[in-house]
Amino acid sequence: MMNVFEVDNGSREQGAVRPATTGTADPGSGRLTAPGALYLLDLPGYGYARASHTNREGFRVLLEGTLNRATLSGVVWLLDIRHDLSTDDREIRDLLSGIGVRTLAALTKGDKLQRGAARKREAELAAELELDDDQVLLTSAKTGTGIADLREALAMLIGKAAG
């Protein structure tokens, strides 16, 4: 199973994210079950490479099914700035490019590199990902770098989905 989070657009905390009580993502079935609200689907990251062939194929089917949903508003793709793109990352890049979905690559762990090196790496990854500069955002949970911009981008995406 993968984590599914519901975005609360109600009157309580605008844009709050909490675990969904009714949504599930089952890699074995290749289906996402989530009733009609806004959801964030937490897909596997670097640990994915250690998954069994069966689970990897299930994740791939789920990913492709999710990305081809008519209701998909966009993708926020978290990538560790310190790592080179993997074969899987390149396949996801090609899949996202092929379906034309709005994509924001949030480069995590920006605090692990010196500022100049981080900016250089950000530009390199933007080129490798074939994304415009405004589609790549350097972030750090530790220092807060880029977090306000990430929140703003998510709010705009949520606003477009709700509107």
Side-chain angles (χ1 to χ4, degrees):
M1 296 294 230
M2 286 179 258
N3 298 318
V4 178
F5 300 92
E6 183 175 1
V7 178
D8 182 4
N9 281 329
S11 58
R12 296 183 320 203
E13 278 187 82
Q14 188 71 17
V17 178
R18 64 178 182 274
T21 55
T22 56
T24 61
D26 182 357
S29 71
R31 292 184 317 204
L32 169 65
T33 305
L38 293 169
Y39 289 87
L40 299 174
L41 178 60
D42 181 8
L43 295 170
Y46 286 99
Y48 168 76
R50 292 186 298 269
S52 71
H53 177 73
T54 302
N55 282 344
R56 285 174 58 95
E57 184 57 31
F59 288 137
R60 184 170 308 285
V61 169
L62 178 64
L63 176 62
E64 289 174 0
T66 300
L67 292 177
N68 286 306
R69 292 171 69 104
T71 57
L72 180 67
S73 299
V75 171
V76 178
W77 189 9
L78 303 179
L79 293 160
D80 188 326
I81 195 169
R82 302 169 300 173
H83 294 286
D84 291 331
L85 294 184
S86 68
T87 300
D88 290 328
D89 291 332
R90 293 176 197 287
E91 288 177 9
I92 291 170
R93 175 202 58 202
D94 295 345
L95 181 61
L96 291 172
S97 176
I99 62 173
V101 68
R102 289 183 302 234
T103 302
L104 173 66
L107 305 179
T108 64
K109 312 266 195 247
D111 58 285
K112 302 293 185 183
L113 301 177
Q114 291 185 355
R115 185 179 175 102
R119 292 297 175 195
K120 180 181 179 201
R121 184 72 179 128
E122 180 182 19
E124 291 170 355
L125 284 170
E128 285 185 71
L129 293 168
E130 301 172 5
L131 295 174
D132 294 332
D133 290 343
D134 65 347
Q135 292 178 272
V136 180
L137 181 61
L138 179 65
T139 66
S140 168
K142 184 175 182 180
T143 66
T145 299
I147 301 303
D149 293 333
L150 181 57
R151 283 189 183 125
E152 183 179 332
L154 285 170
M156 288 176 30
L157 187 62
I158 291 167
K160 287 179 183 176

